[in-house]
Amino acid sequence: MPIATVNPANGERLETFEAMDENELERRLELAEATFRTYRTSTFAERARLLHRAADLLDADRDDIARTMTTEMGKPLKQARAEAAKCAKAMHWYADHAAELLADEEPAETDVKDSGASRVRVRYRPIGPVLAVMPWNFPLWQVVRFAAPALMAGNVGLLKHASNVPRTALYLEDLFHRAGFTEGCFQTLLIGSGAVDDILRDERVKAATLTGSEPAGRAVAATAGEMIKKTVLELGGSDPYVVMPSADIDRAAGIAVTARVQNNGQSCIAAKRFIVHTDVYDTFAEKFVAAMAALRTGDPMDEETDVGPLASEQGREDLEELVEDAKRSGAEVLCGGQRPDGPGWYYPPTVLAGIHREMRIHREEAFGPVATLYRAGDLDEAILIANDSPFGLSSNVWTRDDAEVDRFVRDLEAGGVFVNGMTASHPAFPFGGVKRSGYGRELSGHGIREFCNITTVWQGA
């Protein structure tokens, strides 16, 4: 895939970038290693000052970078602005909390004495240059949620961004440099995916984090395993959205629409499988389908647009194949389900019912504004359907019954359970999944410690 900015609203190629050659890559890897040797000794106060400055600059740039994101990957402009604001918030949060999150820990005094020591500390130390392989769907947020904690921990970052968002990738490098971070602290590598393996094998790169497809995750994990390097993987999801009879159906149906079509439906944590108790299925389905059908699809630069184009022509073809396979296997199309005429990679908000296990869409992630409806006879069946997926990123549960909440929290196979609300990420809460959704955690204290050397410091009498 060429490294290029192509407007998904009309298919126009706006700019093409040359991939970095071996000499430039070597220069940047050398710079990353050299920078780490000094940056690792900086104080939390120094790092926080720089990160606060980056956040302030991002806030000032919000409108411009939002237009860049929308141009490159098609998210509605108002959502792009919100993404930029969220990134600035996360930067401020890590700047304010990193010192506390990575403070030395003192084991219990009885354990210290039992070990024969006069003092024992657990210290979190940075490990070095970390390679981040990031996707296009949240081109700022995915990077910032790695970069902010990594930089505050004393690591340096190497970004291999998706090839269709090069302007955003270069903006991020420039942002950190303008904030005062030295050049080697954060570098964007304009390279194709074929160059990732060699970089990960380089001894100067100490770890990697990837958000993306399952094949990409397998490839990075395989190389990292061979090289014995730490990885964090977030590989997508097909999140369940369970609605029980005690739920506020009007609210559940309304939020379900946002949960499905946010970011044009191209979100790993978007609700995708809507599992509704039979007692309220018809009522929920009627409200949900009507609201999905009423969404405005069109120019993502238009403030009134709800759903913009998919990010790529291939992405639309992949989504269309899932829908057509389901239709051939007997799925009922309650709204949408047909590619519109005209330029751009648009696909309408779509709801499918009558889903069964033989359909590809039951097992595969639908990356676009397509929802699947399931009818569950009781709580046990709802949990069974929810867990019948290779993914386990997050989940949504709508019920006002505390006993049901306890069952869902205990039995759902997911990295998160959101009760009476839609899944969302926040810098204070850990984010990540189980099963084929990956491993490791981002955000919160758990995220910042992923790429730290957890060091036991034992001192004798």
Side-chain angles (χ1 to χ4, degrees):
M1 176 186 290
I3 302 172
T5 295
V6 180
N7 188 342
N10 55 26
E12 179 185 359
R13 179 169 294 193
L14 302 175
E15 189 174 7
T16 301
F17 297 79
E18 290 293 326
M20 292 175 176
D21 61 23
E22 290 185 7
N23 290 334
E24 178 62 9
L25 280 176
E26 172 59 26
R27 184 188 76 82
R28 287 174 175 255
L29 288 169
E30 191 173 297
L31 181 61
E33 182 183 47
T35 299
F36 173 68
R37 287 197 292 269
T38 55
Y39 182 69
R40 64 187 293 273
T41 65
S42 62
T43 65
F44 283 113
E46 291 169 339
R47 299 170 200 167
R49 178 182 60 80
L50 296 173
L51 195 59
H52 277 307
R53 175 61 176 157
D56 290 340
L57 289 170
L58 178 55
D59 266 332
D61 294 344
R62 186 184 307 175
D63 287 342
D64 288 342
I65 188 55
R67 294 184 71 85
T68 297
M69 287 190 285
T70 295
T71 298
E72 290 198 307
M73 56 71 58
K75 72 171 73 234
L77 186 60
K78 56 191 175 185
Q79 294 182 27
R81 286 197 206 96
E83 180 176 340
K86 182 175 183 176
C87 289
K89 176 182 177 180
M91 289 179 182
H92 284 307
W93 191 89
Y94 269 109
D96 289 336
H97 292 89
E100 174 189 354
L101 296 172
L102 297 180
D104 288 359
E105 297 176 6
E106 301 274 352
E109 186 62 30
T110 54
D111 293 325
V112 173
K113 290 181 178 179
D114 185 60
S115 76
S118 63
R119 185 185 182 192
V120 176
R121 289 167 289 158
V122 177
R123 174 161 289 183
Y124 294 95
R125 299 161 57 208
I127 61 173
V130 179
L131 173 66
V133 182
M134 293 289 108
W136 47 262
N137 57 333
F138 291 94
L140 271 187
W141 173 241
Q142 302 281 7
V143 177
V144 166
R145 75 184 193 192
F146 144 74
L151 289 170
M152 284 305 302
N155 295 311
V156 301
L158 296 164
L159 170 64
K160 189 285 181 215
H161 217 324
S163 294
N164 60 332
V165 290
R167 290 178 176 176
T168 305
L170 291 171
Y171 167 82
L172 283 157
E173 179 181 81
D174 181 64
L175 173 70
F176 288 114
H177 294 174
R178 283 189 290 136
F181 287 97
T182 57
E183 182 187 358
C185 283
F186 185 94
Q187 300 179 82
T188 287
L189 308 180
L190 284 185
I191 56 175
S193 57
V196 169
D197 190 76
D198 285 344
I199 293 172
L200 189 51
R201 291 180 183 279
D202 193 293
E203 291 293 342
R204 290 167 292 191
V205 175
K206 302 304 181 184
T209 179
L210 177 143
T211 298
S213 68
E214 193 176 327
R218 289 180 186 276
V220 164
T223 298
E226 183 181 341
M227 301 302 295
I228 316 179
K229 294 182 180 181
K230 177 74 176 288
T231 54
V232 171
L233 302 181
E234 194 260 275
L235 307 179
S238 189
D239 290 2
Y241 189 102
V242 183
V243 182
M244 299 299 287
S246 66
D248 180 336
I249 302 302
D250 285 340
R251 189 161 172 264
I255 292 180
V257 176
T258 303
R260 176 61 285 223
V261 303
Q262 60 175 323
N263 208 48
N264 304 337
Q266 300 165 122
S267 170
C268 300
I269 57 172
K272 299 181 177 77
R273 297 176 297 130
F274 296 81
I275 303 160
V276 186
H277 192 284
T278 188
D279 290 353
V280 291
Y281 178 92
D282 291 337
T283 302
F284 176 90
E286 180 181 1
K287 295 177 182 295
F288 179 53
V289 172
M292 287 281 283
L295 292 171
R296 178 172 175 175
T297 301
D299 181 0
M301 291 292 185
D302 187 333
E303 297 287 352
E304 301 303 314
T305 292
D306 298 308
V307 181
L310 298 188
S312 69
E313 187 172 19
Q314 184 62 57
R316 181 171 69 169
E317 290 177 1
D318 292 344
L319 184 67
E320 198 171 29
E321 287 178 8
L322 287 180
V323 173
E324 292 305 312
D325 173 80
K327 287 160 68 173
R328 287 191 299 269
S329 299
E332 181 183 2
V333 180
L334 302 184
C335 70
Q338 193 68 43
R339 176 198 292 207
D341 295 329
W345 300 314
Y346 293 92
Y347 198 84
T350 298
V351 181
L352 303 177
I355 306 300
H356 56 73
R357 300 188 82 248
E358 285 69 36
M359 295 175 182
R360 286 178 55 201
I361 203 167
H362 176 76
R363 306 292 297 173
E364 299 178 29
E365 181 179 19
F367 220 56
V370 175
T372 52
L373 268 176
Y374 297 78
R375 186 189 296 266
D378 56 24
L379 181 147
D380 290 331
E381 186 178 12
I383 293 173
L384 201 65
I385 297 170
N387 288 339
D388 188 25
S389 169
F391 300 105
L393 189 54
S394 189
S395 60
N396 311 260
V397 174
W398 288 80
T399 177
R400 287 183 271 198
D401 183 318
D402 289 342
E404 289 180 348
V405 171
D406 290 343
R407 276 290 310 279
F408 284 120
V409 171
R410 186 191 75 182
D411 293 342
L412 286 178
E413 298 167 352
V417 180
F418 285 70
V419 181
N420 297 328
M422 60 178 274
T423 297
S425 54
H426 185 283
F429 310 139
F431 177 85
V434 296
K435 301 195 287 188
R436 292 188 186 178
S437 288
Y439 52 74
R441 291 295 180 266
E442 296 176 283
L443 303 177
S444 76
H446 297 278
I448 197 171
R449 297 183 195 113
E450 287 281 9
F451 296 118
C452 287
N453 175 3
I454 305 172
T455 309
T456 298
V457 181
W458 187 97
Q459 293 177 249

